[in-house]
Amino acid sequence: MLDRLTDQPADKILKLMQSYKEDPRDDKLDLGVGVYKDENGNTPVMRAVKKAERRILEDQTTKAYVGLAGDPDYARTMRELVLADSVAADRVAAIATPGGTGAFRQGVDLVRLANPDATFHVSAPTWPNHVSILKTTGTPFTEYRYFDAATGEVDVDGMMADLEKVAEGDVVLLHGCCHNPTGANLTGEQWSGVAELLRERGALPFVDIAYQGFGDGLDEDAAGTRILAETQPEMLIGASCSKNFGIYRERTGILFAIGDAANTKTTQGNMNHLNRQNYSFPPDHGARVVSTILDDPELRADWQAELEEMRTTMLSLRQQLADELRQRTNSDTFDFVARHRGMFSRLGIDADKVEQMRRDHRVYMVSDSRINVAGLNEATVPQLAEAIAKTCA
């Protein structure tokens, strides 16, 4: 049987990581992999995470399974972090998942249980794994316009025109903040317009929020998600703790389903069922770290302070890169980099020039010109700006 298998296409980012590792040149620059790096190129364990893990190590008395949905304290603290008071708690069902990827996959399967005929509408572009999971599960999907490569901003008119065509019962996938891969975000007013349109169309919003706190702040980054929660009869939210808690390898995510309170018990039962069929019980260590931090005022304050340091560092690097590029190109072509938010920006450079930068300047970025801003530091920003200016002259 196994001899019937054929090779799967290589993941672009994983392939890029391997090429970077194999490159013997000094001063090579990795802007592909989506992890936060400090000024020394390391991905640190956050202070509050270390403290929480020490506390858990000392206090934990068992490694027995948690429930199918995961630890209730984790669900509660994450609901409060993402949704605040935008929706009544009795309208929210939740399951812990292995990362934000697991949350998206479980959300797709929940939709397929509820409405097998639903089509997913995803932004053009979106995170590649969204499309990969939809294809793997045989879920129909289509794209809506989102990013204007010429301006580096959201194509709001195109987006709204495409969403006008969404059928009742379809699912619209939205990035809660810090859009991956573009870095271009909706404004509060635009979120309200999307919310009104989706409600009129009878569509189900599915928000993927993986970078809360990396853009404009914890509450600011959740504002669009909360607008939807306040206005929609139903919605799904997949959240990740990988980035804002720096616990990538712990695979800590959560799926929320918001609906009528009368249906919450049935919805919760279906979500528990999906966890049971997929991996029985969700992992707990990362979830326990998160709830420990969020429930302790001192740990939470320290976590928020370090998260704010990371956020402002990325904003500073964005501004530095935009300034360096303006100076070297004598144009405002790349000013949008400073207006983008989160870890990523798409530069609008074609694949041939991206390859040329890798070959001639030791700069590694995804072929669609997505860069991880958090992979830079003050010393390497000029290197990237010089590579872009020389390649795109």
Side-chain angles (χ1 to χ4, degrees):
M1 180 190 300
L2 298 181
D3 60 1
R4 301 176 187 174
L5 295 173
T6 58
D7 291 333
Q8 296 294 319
D11 183 283
K12 291 181 180 180
I13 296 176
L14 298 181
K15 184 177 180 181
L16 187 71
M17 290 169 61
Q18 186 61 36
S19 297
Y20 175 83
K21 289 178 181 178
E22 294 172 354
D23 189 336
R25 295 176 293 178
D26 295 330
D27 299 326
K28 56 188 178 181
L29 188 55
D30 175 15
L31 302 179
V33 62
V35 297
Y36 178 85
K37 297 180 181 180
D38 62 19
E39 66 275 9
N40 299 313
N42 300 316
T43 301
V45 180
M46 297 179 78
R47 297 184 300 265
V49 169
K50 279 186 172 291
K51 293 173 185 176
E53 287 185 314
R54 292 190 191 103
R55 183 179 301 178
I56 292 166
L57 178 64
E58 291 298 321
D59 295 347
Q60 196 169 57
T61 59
T62 182
K63 291 291 185 181
Y65 294 122
V66 292
L68 287 174
D71 178 26
D73 285 337
Y74 173 60
R76 171 183 53 80
T77 54
M78 283 298 292
R79 186 189 73 241
E80 293 168 352
L81 180 69
V82 175
L83 291 166
D85 59 357
S86 61
V87 63
D90 64 358
R91 292 184 57 205
V92 185
I95 50 172
T97 61
T101 304
F104 180 67
R105 174 58 187 263
Q106 296 294 69
V108 170
D109 286 346
L110 185 66
V111 169
R112 287 164 61 83
L113 280 176
N115 182 10
D117 297 325
T119 294
F120 272 67
H121 299 257
V122 304
S123 64
T126 192
W127 181 49
N129 225 19
H130 287 149
V131 173
S132 177
I133 289 171
L134 292 170
K135 287 182 176 178
T136 298
T137 57
T139 304
F141 69 94
T142 187
E143 292 184 328
Y144 60 84
R145 284 171 284 178
Y146 183 84
F147 185 63
D148 185 339
T151 64
E153 307 289 355
V154 179
D155 178 6
V156 179
D157 291 340
M159 176 182 181
M160 297 299 282
D162 288 347
L163 294 183
E164 285 276 6
K165 304 169 186 174
V166 172
E168 183 177 357
D170 279 357
V171 179
V172 176
L173 180 63
L174 299 154
H175 297 229
C177 63
C178 307
H179 186 273
N180 179 7
T182 70
N185 293 326
L186 296 170
T187 65
E189 183 179 356
Q190 290 163 353
W191 273 109
S192 294
V194 170
E196 182 179 355
L197 178 57
L198 296 186
R199 188 178 178 94
E200 290 175 355
R201 300 301 302 169
L204 179 75
F206 190 159
V207 175
D208 185 337
I209 183 165
Y211 305 95
Q212 186 181 355
F214 267 28
D216 292 308
L218 281 169
D219 289 326
E220 293 84 352
D221 289 348
T225 303
R226 292 171 186 175
I227 287 171
L228 289 170
E230 289 171 346
T231 58
Q232 308 302 302
E234 296 181 338
M235 70 180 292
L236 299 178
I237 303 167
S240 170
C241 300
S242 293
K243 277 74 176 180
N244 53 8
F245 286 86
I247 50 175
Y248 303 86
R249 66 175 61 174
E250 304 301 346
R251 309 309 301 132
T252 307
I254 192 165
L255 175 69
F256 296 111
I258 300 172
D260 191 308
N263 298 327
T264 300
K265 183 177 180 180
T266 298
T267 302
Q268 185 68 62
N270 276 267
M271 294 167 73
N272 292 358
H273 169 79
L274 289 173
N275 266 10
R276 180 61 169 166
Q277 304 315 304
N278 200 337
Y279 37 77
S280 281
F281 299 93
D284 180 65
H285 181 73
R288 191 78 51 173
V289 167
V290 169
S291 62
T292 299
I293 291 170
L294 293 179
D295 263 342
D296 182 280
E298 184 177 343
L299 289 180
R300 181 169 182 143
D302 192 26
W303 166 68
Q304 288 189 213
E306 189 166 4
L307 180 61
E308 183 67 7
E309 292 170 10
M310 295 161 69
R311 185 184 76 84
T312 55
T313 294
M314 286 184 283
L315 289 179
S316 177
L317 291 169
R318 286 185 173 283
Q319 189 62 58
Q320 182 188 358
L321 179 58
D323 292 344
E324 293 271 1
L325 285 166
R326 179 182 274 264
Q327 178 183 351
R328 283 170 168 77
T329 64
N330 196 31
S331 77
D332 61 0
T333 302
F334 294 100
D335 280 7
F336 62 82
V337 171
R339 297 191 294 272
H340 286 175
R341 289 294 183 267
M343 293 175 66
F344 304 115
S345 277
R346 180 179 277 194
L347 299 178
I349 300 171
D350 65 45
D352 289 342
K353 290 181 179 178
V354 169
E355 174 60 21
Q356 185 179 340
M357 278 191 279
R358 183 199 64 77
R359 186 177 63 247
D360 297 344
H361 301 282
R362 309 173 305 285
V363 173
Y364 283 77
M365 67 178 74
V366 184
S367 60
D368 64 5
S369 76
R370 186 201 81 169
I371 62 168
N372 174 21
V373 175
L376 293 165
N377 58 46
E378 288 185 11
T380 58
V381 166
Q383 176 186 345
L384 174 61
E386 187 72 8
I388 293 172
K390 286 184 175 180
T391 304
C392 299

